[in-house]
Amino acid sequence: MPKILVIDDDSIVREEIAGWLGIAGFEVVSAEDGLVGVKYAYNHVPSLIVCDITMPDLDGYGVLMEVRANPATADTPVIFLTTQESEAEIRVGTSIGASDFISRPFTQEQLLNAIQTRLQKKEAKERVLKRQVELLERALTQEHEQRLLRAKLVAMFAHDFRNPLASI
């Protein structure tokens, strides 16, 4: 069950999103501001973060930069909730690693579709990386076996060259 962190300073919106996600079968952790959200992201390592952009203390961009700076959460998709989806806002968000933007007001279906899409992309990326790791491990194993074989052959030839009459 994927874990989703919801960060929004509006308690009504935060609780409604948490309710939608809970009904959809997600494990939900919610935070009332960016500072608490970053702390929860580090402690809970969510599968995805839904985050408001405009918040006191630490805004959504600050949250995103903090999340990207930590190796444990660096690949976590972040979906921004915004009231005005301006081109400049999108450009700033995507340049620092935002996965998606959802304009307010939005429906439950829009939010769930965006989350499912991002989770599927993350899962596909993880499968590709896992496959690459398996191929590298297999290549390293083969290389190790070839080195052992070479070492055995060199030892055998060295022994035969030292004792030429023994082989006759």
Side-chain angles (χ1 to χ4, degrees):
M1 170 172 33
K3 185 185 301 182
I4 300 188
L5 172 59
V6 179
I7 307 171
D8 199 318
D9 60 328
D10 185 339
S11 63
I12 295 170
V13 173
R14 186 177 64 247
E15 289 172 13
E16 187 166 354
I17 291 171
W20 289 349
L21 297 176
I23 290 169
F26 295 105
E27 182 181 341
V28 182
V29 178
S30 58
E32 62 274 4
D33 64 40
L35 294 173
V36 174
V38 169
K39 185 172 91 173
Y40 285 1
Y42 293 166
N43 293 337
H44 296 281
V45 189
S47 304
L48 183 136
I49 298 172
V50 176
C51 184
D52 185 17
I53 292 178
T54 309
M55 294 183 291
D57 298 327
L58 186 64
D59 67 359
Y61 299 122
V63 170
L64 180 60
M65 288 189 285
E66 290 291 328
V67 165
R68 293 291 179 255
N70 185 331
T73 57
D75 292 331
T76 304
V78 176
I79 298 176
F80 276 140
L81 303 177
T82 178
T83 53
Q84 299 172 337
E85 193 174 307
S86 71
E87 189 175 319
E89 191 174 71
I90 292 173
R91 198 172 307 120
V92 168
T94 54
S95 71
I96 58 174
S99 303
D100 204 351
F101 288 81
I102 298 178
S103 295
R104 293 180 190 202
F106 54 87
T107 65
Q108 178 180 2
E109 183 180 353
Q110 289 172 319
L111 179 64
L112 291 176
N113 285 340
I115 289 171
Q116 287 297 343
T117 299
R118 294 300 156 196
L119 289 176
Q120 287 169 354
K121 286 184 178 184
K122 181 181 178 185
E123 186 178 311
K125 184 178 178 181
E126 287 173 352
R127 279 194 309 266
V128 167
L129 289 173
K130 185 177 179 181
R131 178 76 177 136
Q132 289 175 340
V133 168
E134 289 171 357
L135 290 173
L136 287 172
E137 286 175 345
R138 193 174 312 143
L140 285 172
T141 302
Q142 289 174 350
E143 175 70 20
H144 181 68
E145 290 171 358
Q146 289 175 354
R147 286 178 187 252
L148 285 175
L149 180 62
R150 265 190 233 127
K152 288 179 183 177
L153 288 172
V154 167
M156 184 178 71
F157 287 135
H159 174 64
D160 287 347
F161 285 135
R162 278 188 242 133
N163 300 319
L165 292 177
S167 60
I168 295 177

